[in-house]
Amino acid sequence: MKVGLAAALVFAALFAIERMQAGPKPGPPSPLGGPMAAIAPALPPPGRPGSQPGPRLSKEDIGFLDDLSSRLQRNPSQGPTPGELERVETLFAGSPDDAQLKEFLVGLYFLSANQDLRRRAFPLVEQTLARLKFLDEQPQIYAMEAHARGEQQDWTGLEEAVLKYERLGGEESLTMSVNLALSLLKQGRQREVLGILDRPIFASCPTASAGADLDACGSAQRMRALVSAPQKAAPSPAERPREALVVDEAKAQIQSDRFDVRFDGEAQSGVARDVLFVLDRAYVRLKDIYYDQPVRKIPVVLHSSQDYFSKTGAPWWSGGVYSSHTGAIQIPIRGLPSTLPREMEDVLVHELSHAFVDERAGGRAGRDLQEGLAQYMEGKRIEEELGSVELKRLANARSQTVTNFYMLSLVVAEQMVQSRGQGMVNQLLKAMKDGGSEDAGFKKVFGQSGADMKKEILATFWRRYS
């Protein structure tokens, strides 16, 4: 492998230089006096590899790598194509001990992730970061992840990324310390913010000259003033009133810290315990996703099929129901085997997602958004649910059937999560609660009504599949 290939590894750091020169993108207004997460960390390039090419690389392979190296040095903004990236991955799979080839692949991943980050294609950034972590957990991987999390206003994720960067021995920097302080501030942990801003590195602020350092020092100063100012104690939010759930006294009961499960005696005890296990596990995952949780223990009632429909009024096709009025999940269960079938796990996750969204949005989220997010959280994706013919039929449908409603709700929710990020969806739900309506939430977070935003997403779907 020629020297040109090794030299090309420096492009792994170009994304940091490019972002500092270009300046931050406009973002939502910040109490700190500028856009959120405007501070992009400057990442060091990967270390220069010292190994020689492995014996499994052919002359044709080396020629391809040299050509790719030369092209990227001439025009790093163009980046590798998916085909080029896949070929380098294949070569590395055949020569996993070739340290030089590994470093080259790491550099390609960084450049690819940076391009996706500029396009705000956050799911693709996540995929590439996962590949980088699999190859080698370098601190700069988590510096890039911190920037991606900040762009999505994912404050818990931002905190975790910065702490991981520091645990791996990442170089002490003003930008990473400020990102950590910002993540704590946004999580309401003001007492911890001053501890970060008291780090010795901030003593260098009076002599800071680089653009990124000046931005970091300015943000640190504004945060310090904000946290140090006398704060009025916020009134505790009133707990939402719920209707009492009427449950047959003959039903047996098992509980955890989060759920109260009622069921029809010994014959259903095995299924009831499976239900409790699945719900407890899903609760932890959804809490990490929504950064919120129901304030009360959730009642769960397992019904016989006939009892379910008569007590809940659910339609014949319903596999479960969540009530915002009672905060309860109710499931038809009799006639099922002694252990919980796999498809029922999806139903439980679906209904539990309703409880989380209902809590975070204060009951203001509309049914289409609720159903779309619930399907997304149980793992459904529109292109996996429908084939090409069905997608085209859905795109051209003029009638609002139950199936069409659910599928189009999934289209909207999936696009929102994947294009705007889960952090923005969480902000949307909270804004609904604070603003008192779904539309108020959309206008505050996205600057347009919910109807207009959904219309735009569906118009794109129709153009793509019709």
Side-chain angles (χ1 to χ4, degrees):
M1 202 176 300
K2 298 178 183 177
V3 175
L5 174 58
L9 296 174
V10 298
F11 71 71
L14 288 178
F15 78 92
I17 299 171
E18 183 179 56
R19 295 191 73 86
M20 286 191 294
Q21 290 174 341
K25 293 182 179 180
S30 166
L32 306 182
M36 294 292 189
I39 302 171
L43 309 187
R48 186 183 182 89
S51 69
Q52 295 300 314
R56 299 180 187 178
L57 293 180
S58 66
K59 290 183 179 180
E60 181 183 357
D61 294 334
I62 295 174
F64 158 72
L65 293 170
D66 277 335
D67 289 343
L68 177 57
S69 166
S70 299
R71 178 174 68 77
L72 292 173
Q73 288 183 79
R74 292 193 304 271
N75 187 10
S77 63
Q78 183 177 347
T81 66
E84 290 169 337
L85 197 55
E86 183 178 359
R87 183 170 177 182
V88 177
E89 288 174 331
T90 302
L91 292 177
F92 178 68
S95 301
D97 297 327
D98 190 329
Q100 192 172 9
L101 184 57
K102 176 182 176 180
E103 289 294 334
F104 187 64
L105 179 57
V106 166
L108 289 177
Y109 281 150
F110 270 118
L111 188 55
S112 179
N114 184 53
Q115 289 180 311
D116 291 332
L117 188 56
R118 290 201 305 270
R119 296 188 297 111
R120 300 183 67 81
F122 297 117
L124 296 179
V125 176
E126 294 278 353
Q127 293 174 14
T128 304
L129 289 172
R131 292 174 178 175
L132 280 164
K133 293 173 187 177
F134 179 78
L135 282 178
D136 185 9
E137 286 217 319
Q138 302 176 19
Q140 59 263 37
I141 297 172
Y142 291 91
M144 174 172 271
E145 180 175 5
H147 187 66
R149 298 295 184 187
E151 289 280 354
Q152 298 174 80
Q153 300 186 31
D154 178 354
W155 308 121
T156 302
L158 175 59
E159 177 192 5
E160 292 175 354
V162 176
L163 292 177
K164 184 69 172 181
Y165 170 86
E166 294 180 345
R167 284 197 297 269
L168 290 174
E171 182 180 353
E172 188 178 19
S173 76
L174 287 165
T175 56
M176 294 299 283
S177 292
V178 166
N179 276 329
L180 179 56
L182 178 62
S183 72
L184 297 172
L185 179 64
K186 291 300 178 181
Q187 295 177 71
R189 294 155 60 185
Q190 281 83 351
R191 293 182 180 179
E192 298 173 64
V193 173
L194 288 177
I196 301 301
L197 297 179
D198 285 339
R199 287 179 170 182
I201 192 170
F202 287 100
S204 65
C205 279
T207 58
S209 57
D213 286 349
L214 286 173
D215 287 344
C217 290
S219 292
Q221 184 178 9
R222 289 189 290 273
M223 271 192 281
R224 187 183 295 278
L226 185 65
V227 174
S228 301
Q231 300 291 318
K232 294 182 179 179
S236 300
E239 188 175 332
R240 280 174 60 198
R242 303 275 192 179
E243 294 178 6
L245 177 66
V246 179
V247 182
D248 187 346
E249 294 183 358
K251 285 185 178 290
Q253 179 185 37
I254 57 173
Q255 299 186 66
S256 70
D257 292 339
R258 307 178 181 104
F259 300 97
D260 176 2
V261 181
R262 305 297 182 95
F263 57 100
D264 292 329
E266 187 61 32
Q268 289 185 0
S269 62
V271 174
R273 294 186 185 283
D274 285 348
V275 165
L276 186 58
F277 174 79
V278 170
L279 286 173
D280 273 327
R281 184 177 57 185
Y283 191 104
V284 174
R285 181 172 72 88
L286 292 175
K287 179 182 175 182
D288 288 342
I289 290 172
Y290 286 116
Y291 306 147
D292 201 355
Q293 65 190 54
V295 297
R296 286 180 283 194
K297 187 177 290 191
I298 300 174
V300 181
V301 185
L302 310 184
H303 293 277
S304 68
S305 296
Q306 182 178 357
D307 192 33
Y308 168 74
F309 294 111
S310 63
K311 291 291 180 61
T312 66
W316 62 268
W317 42 262
S318 169
V321 65
Y322 168 79
S323 169
S324 180
H325 299 295
T326 62
I329 295 171
Q330 303 194 60
I331 305 288
I333 210 77
R334 179 165 290 174
L336 294 176
S338 58
T339 57
L340 192 69
R342 175 64 183 85
E343 59 269 19
M344 286 300 297
E345 293 190 24
D346 294 337
V347 172
L348 292 170
V349 173
H350 182 108
E351 301 306 331
L352 184 57
S353 175
H354 284 320
F356 274 82
V357 172
D358 185 50
E359 184 71 38
R360 188 167 183 88
R364 305 296 184 179
R367 182 167 173 253
D368 54 347
L369 182 59
Q370 269 276 16
E371 295 299 342
L373 289 172
Q375 291 177 89
Y376 189 85
M377 293 306 159
E378 68 174 283
K380 289 185 177 180
R381 302 294 182 266
I382 192 65
E383 290 187 346
E384 296 174 3
E385 293 297 307
L386 302 178
S388 57
V389 175
E390 293 169 310
L391 286 167
K392 184 174 182 179
R393 185 179 299 124
L394 178 64
N396 291 295
R398 293 295 177 264
S399 60
Q400 182 69 304
T401 65
V402 171
T403 300
N404 289 351
F405 170 80
Y406 274 83
M407 290 297 97
L408 292 175
S409 297
L410 175 59
V411 169
V412 172
E414 182 175 333
Q415 178 62 22
M416 286 178 59
V417 173
Q418 294 186 354
S419 66
R420 302 302 182 102
Q422 184 65 45
M424 289 293 283
V425 173
N426 291 346
Q427 291 292 319
L428 170 65
L429 297 175
K430 184 177 185 301
M432 291 177 186
K433 183 177 183 178
D434 295 342
S437 71
E438 183 181 73
D439 215 40
F442 272 99
K443 288 178 180 177
K444 179 178 180 180
V445 175
F446 297 119
Q448 61 183 144
S449 69
D452 287 343
M453 185 168 184
K454 293 169 189 177
K455 187 184 296 183
E456 287 180 6
I457 293 173
L458 292 177
T460 301
F461 175 77
W462 288 326
R463 285 195 300 271
R464 180 172 183 180
Y465 293 106
S466 63

